[in-house]
Amino acid sequence: MKTPAAIALALSLTAWQALADTTIRTVTFENEGTTLSGTLYLPAAAPGKPLPMVVVTGAWTSVQEQMPRVYAREMVERGFAAFTFDFRGWGKSGALANQVRYKEDPSAKISDIRAAIRFLSTLPEVDASQINGLGICASSGYMVDAVSGNPLVNRVGLVAPWLQNDELVKAVYGGAEGVAALISVSRAAEARGGEIIPAAGPKGAKGALMPIGGYYHDPGRGAIPEYDNKWNQASWEGWLTYRPADNPQRLDKPLAVVHSESAAIPQGLKSFLEGFTGEATTKWLEDVTQFDFYDNPDDARRAADVVAEHFGRG
């Protein structure tokens, strides 16, 4: 499978750069006393009026130059403005409280998405009545929580969503005993102020969160210079007790979602949709893996078509 090479972006606060037919600006915004780094993507031939906006967030441990940038570019090609950013404790953004970094903290990430949306609603390039959220993998749950009840958000899209519930958490992480053991690891790491291990490694590597090779370990894919490739063991309790597949009725926005039976935990999405009675557009693609959704051009394009059509309905 051929994938595009990683493109490193080094931009100052106000610098503009044309990349293909996309114009890019690096900006900063604040949340809970911390400065976050984000990137605004606009069509190079912008119409001179505010554009509908898509906020794009990625998988766990990810930075904005990975799958969020892929989908931001896809949205721009379809006439939207797009925005990506690094969550607190990751990439170019500042740390969480007590200088904690590399912690997968659902509540903090939900708060960061809300802050990004508030910030975008103030920009002259953005049509504040047409702000949409696009969550990929783990951040799909964060996005659902961030936009639910949020009057600034119009519609939401999810790609390859990791939406877990209690049953799936136990199935993925070694049953009740495995979950309890990881929560103990989390609490011990928290007491020590954190414990950092590699996020990714080659298949079978010891001491890495994801010893599976592939996307996060491949320099031609997700193992780009900007990727932190770190995981704070204090993350486990917050992650394992987060249940985004539960209470789908909290989502009060029209939804579009793209997934595949060959990708990660499609059961979670099915459980969510069973309880969701709002407007939903679903597209199941055949034989598309989780990592394919991240950067395979054809699969990203197909997923982007679905969510862009959804966002275009206003």
Side-chain angles (χ1 to χ4, degrees), residues 9-135:
L9 300 178
L11 302 171
S12 67
L13 177 62
T14 58
W16 289 80
Q17 172 183 333
L19 182 61
D21 53 359
T22 304
T23 300
I24 299 168
R25 178 161 57 113
T26 294
V27 298
T28 59
F29 63 101
E30 302 292 315
N31 188 31
E32 298 182 16
T34 296
T35 300
L36 288 80
S37 178
T39 305
L40 182 66
Y41 295 78
L42 298 169
K49 62 180 181 180
L51 291 170
M53 165 60 68
V54 182
V55 185
V56 188
T57 56
W60 72 345
T61 82
S62 66
V63 294
Q64 60 176 310
E65 292 86 359
Q66 294 172 311
M67 68 293 291
R69 183 169 66 187
V70 171
Y71 282 86
R73 295 292 305 279
E74 292 288 345
M75 292 298 104
V76 168
E77 288 180 7
R78 291 158 178 78
F80 296 90
F83 187 72
T84 65
F85 68 94
D86 289 324
F87 291 103
R88 281 175 293 162
W90 302 91
K92 301 181 186 72
S93 290
L96 291 162
N98 300 316
Q99 297 304 306
V100 169
R101 295 191 68 84
Y102 318 121
K103 184 177 182 182
E104 192 69 28
D105 185 330
S107 62
K109 288 194 168 185
I110 292 164
S111 176
D112 289 346
I113 297 172
R114 290 175 179 152
I117 291 166
R118 290 193 300 270
F119 166 70
L120 292 168
S121 72
T122 69
L123 297 183
E125 300 91 346
V126 176
D127 181 347
S129 70
Q130 295 290 323
I131 298 177
N132 307 284
L134 174 55

Side-chain angles (χ1 to χ4, degrees), residues 133-156:
L134 174 55
I136 303 163
C137 191
S139 73
S140 292
Y142 308 155
M143 186 62 74
V144 167
D145 283 316
V147 307
S148 294
N150 191 332
L152 295 174
V153 180
N154 198 34
R155 291 172 174 261
V156 63

